[in-house]
Amino acid sequence: MSDKATLEYSGKKYEFPVVKGTEDELAIDIKRLRSETGMITIDPGYKNTGSCESAITYLDGEQGILRYRGYSIEELAEKASFLEVAYLLIFGELPNKQQLDKFYSDIAEEEEVDEDVKKIVDSFPRTAHPMGVIASLTSALTAFNPSAVNIESEEDMYNAIVKILGKFPVLVAWTLRKRIGRPYDYGDNTLGYIENMMMMMFKRPNKPYKMNPVVVDAMDKLLILHADHEQNCSTSTVRIVGSSHAGLFASLSAGVSALWGPLHGGANQAVIEMLEAIKADGGDTAKYMEKAKDKNDPFRLMGFGHRVYKNFDPRARIIKKAADEVLADLGIDDPILDIAKALEKQALEDPYFVERKLYPNVDFYSGIIYRALGVPTSMFTVMFAMGRLPGWIAQWREMRLRKEPIGRPRQVYIGETYRKFKPLEER
Ligand code: CMC
């Protein structure tokens, strides 16, 4: 097979190298396209565009495979902790015991924020959407940690990484506490990472917090499943903002904003709202299936479909099983789980969904678990951001270490051609 692709236009032939990834994915390298042909490509939504070469996450949407640094998501969710996965994603290898202990003790040292951050959290109305609050707080961290990260210094990079991994759970917890009107709490950083985050989120001011291992395990698993997903909307945003050499925290804040939308991370909140609405409407799932298929109706089956997966999202399989286990363990009987299962069954048998290869995605069942763990619906996407944090950091670090150029797509202009300016009185 030739390792070149030929483009023919206007009687002329141009050759471009074909790049092959380690999993045999092929791509036409068009770096010289414009200089040689004067043309660009157009690809709205970047459905056919590889924005980078990356060694972090492998995803095969046809087969439903997801691996972080070569390890399957199924094994990682079963056997690793969130912090091991964070280390793996960011530094490329699973840590040994010593590396993991050091990583966590360095992070734990950073699990506090400047006292003035409280004033910022306080200044938001309680009704503010938590994603807006956490995006602002992440950006505000820049003001309290103004020194730029020197990417030539491994130590500087490491320090910035443990800093954000330490402070982000504090921001997550305080965003929740503001929302529900509880005093801010620093938990206890001698606890594990997840345990401390749970304590910072849920501890009542007048009661000891009782740790439930089922809840901690479920949270750990959920965060692992969300930890990276190659070049999705928020990750691409982090990389593109970082490519202008904006700092790590500013890049992450942009990622949080990108994640907020209901077509991306915001889908987990939208799914629960949809399931609640179906329940309130008598639980007629068939009616909502029809709405989802009706092109004149803006309703979409939230938690279904994916840009890359044209098969079961492997994360959805794991989460569905975990939802059953967690609800059984906690003795919760949630009627919206039954609605979700009925919708899934109908969709998997419906030609509209089958032909379009629309399967449940990660967000379809995750909200049901978050709800069982006591996380309010408006915080679901914040929990997604918490999980995605190591992935964003890993992708930002990779992009900077590879010295990628500033992200700056081109366009095909379709507006007015030159027009002579008309003074106000002549318009
Ligand atoms: N319900 C009904 N129809 C759908 C759905 C859905 N959830 N998703 C896609 N379709 C239809 C769509 O109308 C289109 O039909 P047609 O070919 O007749 O025009 C076809 O399927 C292809 O859809 P698309 O919108 O062109 O696909 P996309 O790759 O641009 O969008 C998506 C992917 C995830 C934005 C979309 O499937 C969607 O809106 N899903 C619901 C929101 C959701 O669950 N998002 C979470 C994604 S996973 C987690 C994450 O990324 O954060």
mmCIF file of all heavy atoms in Angstrom, residues 47 259 262-265 267 292 295 299-307 310 313 315 352-353 356 358 361-363 384, ligand 1:
data_model
loop_
_atom_site.group_PDB
_atom_site.id
_atom_site.type_symbol
_atom_site.label_atom_id
_atom_site.label_comp_id
_atom_site.label_asym_id
_atom_site.label_seq_id
_atom_site.Cartn_x
_atom_site.Cartn_y
_atom_site.Cartn_z
ATOM 1 N N LYS A 47 -15.175 16.852 11.923
ATOM 2 C CA LYS A 47 -15.536 15.436 11.946
ATOM 3 C C LYS A 47 -14.475 14.546 11.313
ATOM 4 O O LYS A 47 -14.416 13.351 11.589
ATOM 5 C CB LYS A 47 -16.882 15.219 11.249
ATOM 6 C CG LYS A 47 -18.052 15.812 12.027
ATOM 7 C CD LYS A 47 -19.396 15.364 11.476
ATOM 8 C CE LYS A 47 -20.533 15.979 12.284
ATOM 9 N NZ LYS A 47 -21.830 15.380 12.058
ATOM 10 N N LEU A 259 -17.202 22.346 28.557
ATOM 11 C CA LEU A 259 -17.863 21.127 29.042
ATOM 12 C C LEU A 259 -19.315 21.377 29.438
ATOM 13 O O LEU A 259 -20.140 20.465 29.445
ATOM 14 C CB LEU A 259 -17.087 20.584 30.262
ATOM 15 C CG LEU A 259 -17.540 19.228 30.803
ATOM 16 C CD1 LEU A 259 -17.146 18.107 29.845
ATOM 17 C CD2 LEU A 259 -16.948 18.955 32.184
ATOM 18 N N PRO A 262 -25.025 21.316 26.973
ATOM 19 C CA PRO A 262 -25.782 20.061 27.050
ATOM 20 C C PRO A 262 -25.419 19.033 25.985
ATOM 21 O O PRO A 262 -25.767 17.863 26.125
ATOM 22 C CB PRO A 262 -27.246 20.516 26.902
ATOM 23 C CG PRO A 262 -27.183 21.853 26.263
ATOM 24 C CD PRO A 262 -25.877 22.478 26.680
ATOM 25 N N LEU A 263 -24.726 19.449 24.911
ATOM 26 C CA LEU A 263 -24.312 18.440 23.933
ATOM 27 C C LEU A 263 -23.038 17.745 24.390
ATOM 28 O O LEU A 263 -22.596 16.765 23.793
ATOM 29 C CB LEU A 263 -24.083 19.082 22.557
ATOM 30 C CG LEU A 263 -25.314 19.724 21.913
ATOM 31 C CD1 LEU A 263 -25.032 20.090 20.470
ATOM 32 C CD2 LEU A 263 -26.534 18.818 21.989
ATOM 33 N N HIS A 264 -22.409 18.286 25.435
ATOM 34 C CA HIS A 264 -21.147 17.703 25.931
ATOM 35 C C HIS A 264 -21.409 17.282 27.385
ATOM 36 O O HIS A 264 -22.335 16.527 27.650
ATOM 37 C CB HIS A 264 -20.058 18.767 25.759
ATOM 38 C CG HIS A 264 -18.655 18.322 25.979
ATOM 39 N ND1 HIS A 264 -18.271 17.012 26.111
ATOM 40 C CD2 HIS A 264 -17.495 19.039 26.103
ATOM 41 C CE1 HIS A 264 -16.961 16.949 26.295
ATOM 42 N NE2 HIS A 264 -16.464 18.167 26.298
ATOM 43 N N GLY A 265 -20.638 17.800 28.342
ATOM 44 C CA GLY A 265 -20.765 17.339 29.728
ATOM 45 C C GLY A 265 -22.109 17.662 30.359
ATOM 46 O O GLY A 265 -22.565 16.960 31.271
ATOM 47 N N ALA A 267 -24.792 17.094 29.371
ATOM 48 C CA ALA A 267 -25.807 16.073 29.067
ATOM 49 C C ALA A 267 -26.201 15.284 30.315
ATOM 50 O O ALA A 267 -27.344 14.831 30.418
ATOM 51 C CB ALA A 267 -25.295 15.121 27.980
ATOM 52 N N ALA A 292 -38.233 12.192 19.930
ATOM 53 C CA ALA A 292 -36.804 12.215 19.596
ATOM 54 C C ALA A 292 -36.575 11.997 18.099
ATOM 55 O O ALA A 292 -35.628 12.507 17.510
ATOM 56 C CB ALA A 292 -36.055 11.150 20.399
ATOM 57 N N LYS A 295 -38.284 15.170 13.325
ATOM 58 C CA LYS A 295 -37.335 16.226 12.948
ATOM 59 C C LYS A 295 -37.905 17.629 13.186
ATOM 60 O O LYS A 295 -37.164 18.605 13.192
ATOM 61 C CB LYS A 295 -36.919 16.075 11.474
ATOM 62 C CG LYS A 295 -36.112 14.823 11.208
ATOM 63 C CD LYS A 295 -34.707 14.938 11.799
ATOM 64 C CE LYS A 295 -33.947 13.639 11.699
ATOM 65 N NZ LYS A 295 -32.865 13.490 12.672
ATOM 66 N N PHE A 299 -36.682 18.115 20.537
ATOM 67 C CA PHE A 299 -36.316 17.154 21.586
ATOM 68 C C PHE A 299 -35.365 16.091 21.053
ATOM 69 O O PHE A 299 -35.565 15.528 19.988
ATOM 70 C CB PHE A 299 -37.584 16.480 22.134
ATOM 71 C CG PHE A 299 -37.302 15.428 23.163
ATOM 72 C CD1 PHE A 299 -37.020 15.777 24.483
ATOM 73 C CD2 PHE A 299 -37.298 14.072 22.820
ATOM 74 C CE1 PHE A 299 -36.743 14.787 25.436
ATOM 75 C CE2 PHE A 299 -37.035 13.088 23.768
ATOM 76 C CZ PHE A 299 -36.752 13.452 25.066
ATOM 77 N N ARG A 300 -34.302 15.842 21.795
ATOM 78 C CA ARG A 300 -33.373 14.751 21.485
ATOM 79 C C ARG A 300 -33.300 13.843 22.682
ATOM 80 O O ARG A 300 -33.450 14.307 23.813
ATOM 81 C CB ARG A 300 -31.968 15.296 21.232
ATOM 82 C CG ARG A 300 -31.750 15.742 19.833
ATOM 83 C CD ARG A 300 -30.282 16.000 19.549
ATOM 84 N NE ARG A 300 -30.098 16.074 18.110
ATOM 85 C CZ ARG A 300 -28.933 16.032 17.498
ATOM 86 N NH1 ARG A 300 -27.834 15.912 18.184
ATOM 87 N NH2 ARG A 300 -28.863 16.109 16.186
ATOM 88 N N LEU A 301 -33.051 12.597 22.449
ATOM 89 C CA LEU A 301 -32.906 11.680 23.574
ATOM 90 C C LEU A 301 -31.540 11.947 24.205
ATOM 91 O O LEU A 301 -30.504 11.559 23.661
ATOM 92 C CB LEU A 301 -33.012 10.245 23.066
ATOM 93 C CG LEU A 301 -33.276 9.169 24.088
ATOM 94 C CD1 LEU A 301 -34.521 9.484 24.911
ATOM 95 C CD2 LEU A 301 -33.438 7.823 23.400
ATOM 96 N N MET A 302 -31.535 12.670 25.324
ATOM 97 C CA MET A 302 -30.267 13.049 25.944
ATOM 98 C C MET A 302 -29.582 11.794 26.481
ATOM 99 O O MET A 302 -30.240 10.871 26.968
ATOM 100 C CB MET A 302 -30.498 14.071 27.064
ATOM 101 C CG MET A 302 -31.101 15.379 26.575
ATOM 102 S SD MET A 302 -30.316 16.053 25.088
ATOM 103 C CE MET A 302 -28.783 16.685 25.742
ATOM 104 N N GLY A 303 -28.240 11.777 26.378
ATOM 105 C CA GLY A 303 -27.501 10.595 26.827
ATOM 106 C C GLY A 303 -27.423 9.531 25.750
ATOM 107 O O GLY A 303 -26.940 8.434 26.003
ATOM 108 N N PHE A 304 -27.907 9.877 24.546
ATOM 109 C CA PHE A 304 -27.832 8.945 23.418
ATOM 110 C C PHE A 304 -27.043 9.571 22.283
ATOM 111 O O PHE A 304 -27.169 10.757 22.020
ATOM 112 C CB PHE A 304 -29.231 8.580 22.910
ATOM 113 C CG PHE A 304 -29.646 7.221 23.381
ATOM 114 C CD1 PHE A 304 -30.097 7.045 24.670
ATOM 115 C CD2 PHE A 304 -29.531 6.118 22.552
ATOM 116 C CE1 PHE A 304 -30.456 5.785 25.121
ATOM 117 C CE2 PHE A 304 -29.881 4.858 22.997
ATOM 118 C CZ PHE A 304 -30.351 4.684 24.288
ATOM 119 N N GLY A 305 -26.261 8.745 21.602
ATOM 120 C CA GLY A 305 -25.504 9.227 20.454
ATOM 121 C C GLY A 305 -24.142 9.728 20.896
ATOM 122 O O GLY A 305 -23.944 10.131 22.045
ATOM 123 N N HIS A 306 -23.224 9.676 19.978
ATOM 124 C CA HIS A 306 -21.877 10.154 20.269
ATOM 125 C C HIS A 306 -21.171 10.440 18.957
ATOM 126 O O HIS A 306 -21.387 9.728 17.977
ATOM 127 C CB HIS A 306 -21.089 9.096 21.061
ATOM 128 C CG HIS A 306 -19.874 9.653 21.703
ATOM 129 N ND1 HIS A 306 -18.688 9.784 21.042
ATOM 130 C CD2 HIS A 306 -19.694 10.154 22.948
ATOM 131 C CE1 HIS A 306 -17.809 10.334 21.860
ATOM 132 N NE2 HIS A 306 -18.396 10.573 23.020
ATOM 133 N N ARG A 307 -20.350 11.479 18.958
ATOM 134 C CA ARG A 307 -19.621 11.807 17.743
ATOM 135 C C ARG A 307 -18.716 10.663 17.301
ATOM 136 O O ARG A 307 -18.570 10.397 16.105
ATOM 137 C CB ARG A 307 -18.796 13.090 17.990
ATOM 138 C CG ARG A 307 -17.790 13.448 16.920
ATOM 139 C CD ARG A 307 -18.407 13.635 15.537
ATOM 140 N NE ARG A 307 -19.370 14.702 15.464
ATOM 141 C CZ ARG A 307 -19.073 15.999 15.364
ATOM 142 N NH1 ARG A 307 -17.814 16.379 15.346
ATOM 143 N NH2 ARG A 307 -20.014 16.893 15.295
ATOM 144 N N LYS A 310 -19.883 4.603 17.517
ATOM 145 C CA LYS A 310 -21.003 4.152 16.690
ATOM 146 C C LYS A 310 -21.364 2.745 17.146
ATOM 147 O O LYS A 310 -21.793 1.886 16.400
ATOM 148 C CB LYS A 310 -20.624 4.203 15.196
ATOM 149 C CG LYS A 310 -20.234 5.608 14.725
ATOM 150 C CD LYS A 310 -21.337 6.662 14.975
ATOM 151 C CE LYS A 310 -20.839 8.085 14.798
ATOM 152 N NZ LYS A 310 -21.692 9.119 15.396
ATOM 153 N N ASP A 313 -21.073 2.848 24.037
ATOM 154 C CA ASP A 313 -19.994 3.556 24.726
ATOM 155 C C ASP A 313 -19.557 2.627 25.875
ATOM 156 O O ASP A 313 -20.372 2.278 26.731
ATOM 157 C CB ASP A 313 -20.589 4.881 25.259
ATOM 158 C CG ASP A 313 -19.603 5.727 26.043
ATOM 159 O OD1 ASP A 313 -18.622 5.172 26.547
ATOM 160 O OD2 ASP A 313 -19.857 6.936 26.162
ATOM 161 N N ARG A 315 -18.007 3.064 28.459
ATOM 162 C CA ARG A 315 -18.197 3.667 29.786
ATOM 163 C C ARG A 315 -19.642 3.491 30.232
ATOM 164 O O ARG A 315 -19.931 3.328 31.413
ATOM 165 C CB ARG A 315 -17.820 5.154 29.741
ATOM 166 C CG ARG A 315 -16.387 5.396 29.290
ATOM 167 C CD ARG A 315 -16.153 6.838 28.932
ATOM 168 N NE ARG A 315 -17.034 7.310 27.847
ATOM 169 C CZ ARG A 315 -17.128 8.565 27.448
ATOM 170 N NH1 ARG A 315 -16.400 9.497 28.031
ATOM 171 N NH2 ARG A 315 -17.937 8.906 26.464
ATOM 172 N N TYR A 352 -34.748 3.852 13.713
ATOM 173 C CA TYR A 352 -34.159 5.201 13.667
ATOM 174 C C TYR A 352 -32.819 5.205 14.404
ATOM 175 O O TYR A 352 -31.804 5.699 13.889
ATOM 176 C CB TYR A 352 -35.119 6.211 14.317
ATOM 177 C CG TYR A 352 -34.554 7.618 14.467
ATOM 178 C CD1 TYR A 352 -34.851 8.623 13.547
ATOM 179 C CD2 TYR A 352 -33.717 7.955 15.541
ATOM 180 C CE1 TYR A 352 -34.339 9.906 13.688
ATOM 181 C CE2 TYR A 352 -33.205 9.229 15.690
ATOM 182 C CZ TYR A 352 -33.518 10.203 14.759
ATOM 183 O OH TYR A 352 -33.005 11.473 14.896
ATOM 184 N N PHE A 353 -32.798 4.646 15.609
ATOM 185 C CA PHE A 353 -31.583 4.658 16.428
ATOM 186 C C PHE A 353 -30.561 3.640 15.919
ATOM 187 O O PHE A 353 -29.367 3.908 15.911
ATOM 188 C CB PHE A 353 -31.933 4.388 17.907
ATOM 189 C CG PHE A 353 -32.581 5.575 18.559
ATOM 190 C CD1 PHE A 353 -33.948 5.799 18.446
ATOM 191 C CD2 PHE A 353 -31.818 6.506 19.249
ATOM 192 C CE1 PHE A 353 -34.544 6.913 19.013
ATOM 193 C CE2 PHE A 353 -32.403 7.623 19.823
ATOM 194 C CZ PHE A 353 -33.772 7.828 19.706
ATOM 195 N N ARG A 356 -28.839 4.919 12.684
ATOM 196 C CA ARG A 356 -27.906 6.027 12.966
ATOM 197 C C ARG A 356 -26.835 5.642 13.977
ATOM 198 O O ARG A 356 -26.043 6.470 14.395
ATOM 199 C CB ARG A 356 -28.674 7.251 13.459
ATOM 200 C CG ARG A 356 -29.477 7.912 12.355
ATOM 201 C CD ARG A 356 -30.427 8.951 12.895
ATOM 202 N NE ARG A 356 -31.200 9.581 11.844
ATOM 203 C CZ ARG A 356 -32.227 9.024 11.207
ATOM 204 N NH1 ARG A 356 -32.599 7.801 11.524
ATOM 205 N NH2 ARG A 356 -32.872 9.664 10.254
ATOM 206 N N LEU A 358 -27.049 5.010 17.186
ATOM 207 C CA LEU A 358 -27.153 5.830 18.401
ATOM 208 C C LEU A 358 -27.305 4.897 19.601
ATOM 209 O O LEU A 358 -28.297 4.182 19.720
ATOM 210 C CB LEU A 358 -28.361 6.769 18.294
ATOM 211 C CG LEU A 358 -28.344 7.744 17.114
ATOM 212 C CD1 LEU A 358 -29.694 8.445 16.973
ATOM 213 C CD2 LEU A 358 -27.236 8.763 17.269
ATOM 214 N N ASN A 361 -24.651 6.826 25.862
ATOM 215 C CA ASN A 361 -23.287 7.281 26.122
ATOM 216 C C ASN A 361 -23.051 7.391 27.631
ATOM 217 O O ASN A 361 -23.938 7.089 28.430
ATOM 218 C CB ASN A 361 -23.010 8.605 25.378
ATOM 219 C CG ASN A 361 -23.962 9.716 25.807
ATOM 220 O OD1 ASN A 361 -24.157 9.949 27.000
ATOM 221 N ND2 ASN A 361 -24.560 10.395 24.841
ATOM 222 N N VAL A 362 -21.868 7.850 27.987
ATOM 223 C CA VAL A 362 -21.438 7.889 29.397
ATOM 224 C C VAL A 362 -22.434 8.623 30.306
ATOM 225 O O VAL A 362 -22.581 8.298 31.485
ATOM 226 C CB VAL A 362 -20.024 8.532 29.497
ATOM 227 C CG1 VAL A 362 -20.061 10.009 29.143
ATOM 228 C CG2 VAL A 362 -19.389 8.339 30.850
ATOM 229 N N ASP A 363 -23.131 9.586 29.715
ATOM 230 C CA ASP A 363 -23.995 10.425 30.544
ATOM 231 C C ASP A 363 -25.362 9.814 30.815
ATOM 232 O O ASP A 363 -26.131 10.346 31.609
ATOM 233 C CB ASP A 363 -24.188 11.799 29.870
ATOM 234 C CG ASP A 363 -22.905 12.600 29.887
ATOM 235 O OD1 ASP A 363 -22.212 12.541 30.910
ATOM 236 O OD2 ASP A 363 -22.602 13.266 28.893
ATOM 237 N N PHE A 384 -18.300 15.871 36.477
ATOM 238 C CA PHE A 384 -17.664 15.475 35.209
ATOM 239 C C PHE A 384 -16.346 16.236 35.066
ATOM 240 O O PHE A 384 -15.302 15.660 34.735
ATOM 241 C CB PHE A 384 -18.637 15.784 34.061
ATOM 242 C CG PHE A 384 -18.277 15.226 32.704
ATOM 243 C CD1 PHE A 384 -19.281 14.939 31.768
ATOM 244 C CD2 PHE A 384 -16.969 14.982 32.329
ATOM 245 C CE1 PHE A 384 -18.983 14.440 30.502
ATOM 246 C CE2 PHE A 384 -16.656 14.477 31.062
ATOM 247 C CZ PHE A 384 -17.671 14.217 30.157
HETATM 248 N N1 CMC B 1 -31.672 11.840 19.782
HETATM 249 C C1 CMC B 1 -32.270 11.807 18.556
HETATM 250 N N2 CMC B 1 -31.588 11.874 17.391
HETATM 251 C C2 CMC B 1 -30.260 11.975 17.465
HETATM 252 C C3 CMC B 1 -29.570 12.001 18.691
HETATM 253 C C4 CMC B 1 -30.335 11.930 19.879
HETATM 254 N N3 CMC B 1 -29.729 11.961 21.066
HETATM 255 N N4 CMC B 1 -28.240 12.117 18.465
HETATM 256 C C5 CMC B 1 -28.099 12.144 17.146
HETATM 257 N N5 CMC B 1 -29.305 12.055 16.513
HETATM 258 C C6 CMC B 1 -29.551 11.987 15.073
HETATM 259 C C7 CMC B 1 -29.394 13.366 14.437
HETATM 260 O O1 CMC B 1 -30.606 14.071 14.430
HETATM 261 C C8 CMC B 1 -28.911 12.998 13.075
HETATM 262 O O2 CMC B 1 -30.024 12.550 12.320
HETATM 263 P P1 CMC B 1 -30.100 12.788 10.714
HETATM 264 O O3 CMC B 1 -28.924 12.035 10.150
HETATM 265 O O4 CMC B 1 -31.431 12.265 10.315
HETATM 266 O O5 CMC B 1 -29.976 14.268 10.538
HETATM 267 C C9 CMC B 1 -28.000 11.776 13.299
HETATM 268 O O6 CMC B 1 -28.522 11.180 14.498
HETATM 269 C C10 CMC B 1 -26.534 12.112 13.494
HETATM 270 O O7 CMC B 1 -26.435 13.068 14.574
HETATM 271 P P2 CMC B 1 -25.454 14.319 14.600
HETATM 272 O O8 CMC B 1 -26.055 15.373 15.470
HETATM 273 O O9 CMC B 1 -25.093 14.693 13.208
HETATM 274 O O10 CMC B 1 -24.198 13.678 15.291
HETATM 275 P P3 CMC B 1 -23.024 14.477 15.988
HETATM 276 O O11 CMC B 1 -21.836 13.591 15.946
HETATM 277 O O12 CMC B 1 -22.881 15.839 15.392
HETATM 278 O O13 CMC B 1 -23.553 14.692 17.483
HETATM 279 C C11 CMC B 1 -24.028 14.329 19.779
HETATM 280 C C12 CMC B 1 -23.207 13.875 18.564
HETATM 281 C C13 CMC B 1 -23.482 13.635 21.028
HETATM 282 C C14 CMC B 1 -23.866 15.849 19.960
HETATM 283 C C15 CMC B 1 -25.522 13.958 19.542
HETATM 284 O O14 CMC B 1 -25.649 12.565 19.400
HETATM 285 C C16 CMC B 1 -26.439 14.464 20.664
HETATM 286 O O15 CMC B 1 -26.872 15.609 20.614
HETATM 287 N N6 CMC B 1 -26.723 13.614 21.697
HETATM 288 C C17 CMC B 1 -27.499 14.055 22.852
HETATM 289 C C18 CMC B 1 -26.612 14.832 23.816
HETATM 290 C C19 CMC B 1 -25.659 13.949 24.583
HETATM 291 O O16 CMC B 1 -26.033 12.918 25.116
HETATM 292 N N7 CMC B 1 -24.398 14.399 24.687
HETATM 293 C C20 CMC B 1 -23.356 13.691 25.454
HETATM 294 C C21 CMC B 1 -22.288 13.135 24.561
HETATM 295 S S1 CMC B 1 -21.199 11.969 25.408
HETATM 296 C C22 CMC B 1 -20.403 12.847 26.665
HETATM 297 C C23 CMC B 1 -19.707 14.069 26.241
HETATM 298 O O17 CMC B 1 -19.288 14.286 25.122
HETATM 299 O O18 CMC B 1 -19.521 14.889 27.122
#
